[in-house]
Amino acid sequence: MTALNKKLLRDLWRMRGQLLTVALVVACGIATYVTMRGSYESIANAQREYYSKYHFADVFATLKRAPNSLEPSIAAIPGVSSVQTRIVVEVTLDVPGLQEPALGRLVSIPEHGTPSLNDLCIRRGRYIEPGRRDEVLASEAFANANRLDVGATIGAVINGRWEPLRIVGIALSPEYVYEIRGAEVFPDNKRFGVFWMSREALGPAFNMEGGFNDISLALSPGGSEAEVLSRLDNLLEPYGGLGAYGRIDQVSNRFLSDEIVQDRITGIFIPTIFLAVAAFLIHVVLSRLVHTQRNAIGLLKAFGFSNASVGLHYLGFALAAVLLGTLLGVPLGIWLGRGLSQLYQDFFRFPELRFVPTLSMIVSVVAISGGAACFGALSALRSVAALPPAEAMQPEAPARFRPGIAERLGLQRFVPLSARMILRNLERRPWKAMLSTLGLALAGAILIVGFYFYDAIEHLVRVEFQTAAREDVGITFNEPLGSSARYSVERLPGVFRAEPFRVVAARLRFEHRSRRVGILGLADDRDMRRIVDRDFHVVDLPPNGIVLSASLSKILGVSPGDTLTIEVLEGERPVRPMIVAGTVEDLIGTSAYMDIHALNRLMREGETISGAYLSVDTLVAPKLYSFLKQTPAVSGVNVREAMLQSFRDTIARSLGISTGALIAFACVIAFGIVYNGALIALSERAHELVSLRVLGFTHTEIGWMLLGEQAILAGVSIPMGFLLGYGICGLLVYSMQSELYRMPLVISSRTYAFACITVTLASVLSGLLISQKLRKLDLIAVLKARE
Amino acid sequence: MPDPVFHVRKVSKVYHMGDVEVHALRGVDLDLFPGEFVVLLGPSGSGKSTLLNILGGLDVPTSGEVYYLDHNLTAAESAELTRYRREHVGFVFQFYNLIPSLTALENTALVTEIAENPLDSHECLRLVGLEERLNHFPAQMSGGEQQRVAIARAIAKRPEVLLCDEPTGALDCPTGRLVLEVLDRVNRELGTITVVITHNVVIADMADRVIRISSGEIIDIHRNEKKVAPSELTW
Ligand SMILES: Nc1ncnc2c1ncn2[C@@H]1O[C@H](COP(=O)(O)OP(=O)(O)O)[C@@H](O)[C@H]1O
Ligand SMILES: [Mg+2]
């Protein structure tokens, strides 16, 4: 080993605290990159493979009923490569161990062979056997949530009668990677499940013999989706077609694809913050090192070492930090990535979702970190090269200071001397002070972002589940019933009040833009279900006209006062103009609301309701649930509290790990910045501080003079971090807004307080470590040694 | 003869450097009296700084006893020593160790903030002849000027004793002479016991007493019959 390398190792060991803090920040950058980028790549891969291996369809449509004889004309549409017709129905389920009735979606599969599109991945058990009409395959999400396995039996209301369904297999489908009912946003796997059963069994039970009500198509390469959609709509229109759509509007695929895009964005954004902070820390540490070792550098140069070899020697610190950061960060990233993909499996069901960090990804992140480290080292290395050997060996003159801001404002009389010292030190290196503050502010901002998600979800729950939807239970009828059904419902056990609603599938059209929606007709005397915007304002629903989600009005390009066209996709399929009465800035979905009577008039039907919202006596609820389970006319039951609970559980679990990691990472940044800042200040100012100790100043007094600077930086950084955190959340909100949901930009004071306390604690902790060092300073040794 | 202010008996100091024991002081006996100007003379490594540091409460002896009036410095806790320094001792070193971010006046004023009965900081700077340089930062002053600020800072709290470890070591002759004049004036005008370490024999002529140290032992204490004014010293 050369002498220079020995010196490097010795320096690294002496500076191990600084090396470690910098390496930890690098490790955070690498770990977040490996985690996020790795998850992104893993999920995107898993999606691609799943879709192709299991023949995920390209085009989907539901209809009322069409004869099988229509199939050849559909297959003949140019651009269609294969067709799969199915029967899909929703039924009430009685699940062992579950008080409330659940909703099952029964999807037909062929008795012989396997589905040609949207094929199933059998996880456990087996495929159904021909002729065994009670056999079903259950979706894994539902089976796991209800702890059901192969061999279990659940009850389902089929054709007005309770039928037992025997689970012979647990399956996954590319159609239900994200398994969710209707227009919900968050899954409730306990109360909603998909089941696949024989078409020969489903057909007769639901009047579908010789026909179908659901269709999936695969496009041939080069086939035009838009063309196929419009031709398919034309073909299905006489059969009650509800409008065909492509993958982009397929609910599960949409959620999954949105998630993948978000992962890609955050996977670039967060690691960048860490690497920028790491570069900054390397800059300050190395600049100081070069400064304190100017004699040694001069000596080395005088001995004839080249600029390059001396420079490389100092670059060693930066590279050591990256090496150590890699050794810590890569395994940490892989570990977190594995944990994250476990969590993903709560939401997204893949046959195989393995977190596979690719070598090329790891090589590239190490290269990027190395680049960031070299960038940080640049100015220090430049000063190594610029240092003439002779000058380097002279002792240096005291640092230059000038009167600070207090003097220029004529306020010095009011500023104590120790504060003047602190302020002048800050003013002497404004860039360093600003970058340190920015780094600390970023730590605060990361914390705010981490906790923002809790706030956003809490706000969303309060708006959507506690202000807009206040019913205890929502029930949906098999088929629309006369309005008197409301009174029958009110007579059910435990029901205080019932509020009817009507849902109608329709296409809204304005100019050349159109959108499929379910128009929700609400009662005028409604109290439980209201239309509420993101600020908790209740929006009026006029007796005529339609009220749209602001997001929907944007898609359609309409504003209040415009007249759009409603093409109803059910019943007699009336097409009617309708005035847009208003818009509502809501948070979930793309909704359209009308007064229930106006909707009935639009449908040219009498007073008809699709279901009702109920307020229920919780003590009697179990009785109501078992009654509803027995009621074939009711096909869906929503229990708000249960849904909310399962939603909160899932979210808490998934946010827990990422928030935990973010907190830890933010602490690493805050700690690293304060620790290195204070340690460098200590090395720069050891002499002056010790000379004050000699004159009788106490540890505490000296400690403040040293750490006050860091305290001010941390203090300034906190409000800055608040602003920055708010800004980043704003960016996230903007980049994550989708038709499915919009995150509200609300940050609670609890989040701010938490960010503030965490940054403060991390700073105080590193301050304490430095003050320990200050306490241990050997006064005499410091006085003897000249830099 | 008045009672001694410092009372040093059989003081030894042993440093452990790995396996090697370094005997920096070997049984030193010494008394210092009010208002004295003492020069501590000896070759490098003879134990001068060690003795000065023990007198100033920066260090404690390995054995023997040291009293400042009735303060026992031998067995004092670190906090006690800090208080002792704060209340009674002024230090000046070869390197000035001023706070670079504070002006001359502020460097001095900083010390007056912790003293019970301080001198006025303007007065201190006038005493060291720097009334013209009050608002200069250390980087704007010469070495001699910085050293005089260091002296002003050391005397600002009106210490009973001023300990100077090679105060002219880094200065040329005329500048060093200026610093010595200041020390002499402080000693005369404030009556501060002043101990100055040097290995420059010439400086010994301005002292009341000259103490010679060699290899950790006092080999000679000599009283000058006639003190020479510092302005007349040359080296
Ligand atoms: N902290 C210490 N650790 C070990 N040895 C020391 C220490 N301080 C001083 N010494 C040794 O004690 C002896 C006396 O030192 P010092 O009092 O500084 O001498 P002087 O000031 O006369 O040059 C020297 O040999 C020196 O090496
Ligand atoms: Mg010495």
Side-chain angles (χ1 to χ4, degrees), chain A residues 398-399 401-403 417 420-421 424-425 687-688 691-698 701 779-780 783 786, chain B residues 53 58-59 82 85-86 91 93 95 97-102 106 109-111 113-114 137 139 153 157:
Chain A
F401 281 88
R402 14 181 232 125
L417 288 172
R420 281 186 228 177
M421 273 161 80
R424 286 176 196 163
N425 272 303
H687 284 92
E688 53 177 279
S691 77
L692 293 182
R693 281 282 292 132
V694 166
L695 288 172
F697 282 78
T698 62
E701 285 162 344
L779 300 186
I780 300 168
L783 287 173
R786 279 317 283 178
Chain B
N53 291 342
L58 282 178
D59 208 345
T82 302
R85 294 199 303 271
R86 192 179 180 109
F91 269 104
F93 296 98
F95 303 105
N97 292 328
L98 298 177
I99 312 284
S101 55
L102 296 182
E106 291 166 338
L110 188 64
V111 177
E113 283 182 357
I114 62 161
F137 285 95
R153 181 173 75 161
K157 61 183 171 188

Side-chain angles (χ1 to χ4, degrees), chain A residues 693-696, chain B residues 6 49-59 66 68 73 81-82 84-86 88-91 161 163:
Chain A
R693 281 282 292 132
V694 166
L695 288 172
Chain B
F6 282 97
S49 297
T50 306
L51 179 57
L52 197 80
N53 291 342
I54 288 173
L55 291 178
L58 282 178
D59 208 345
V66 183
Y68 168 78
L73 302 182
L81 287 178
T82 302
Y84 160 66
R85 294 199 303 271
R86 192 179 180 109
H88 305 290
V89 190
F91 269 104
V161 50
L163 304 174

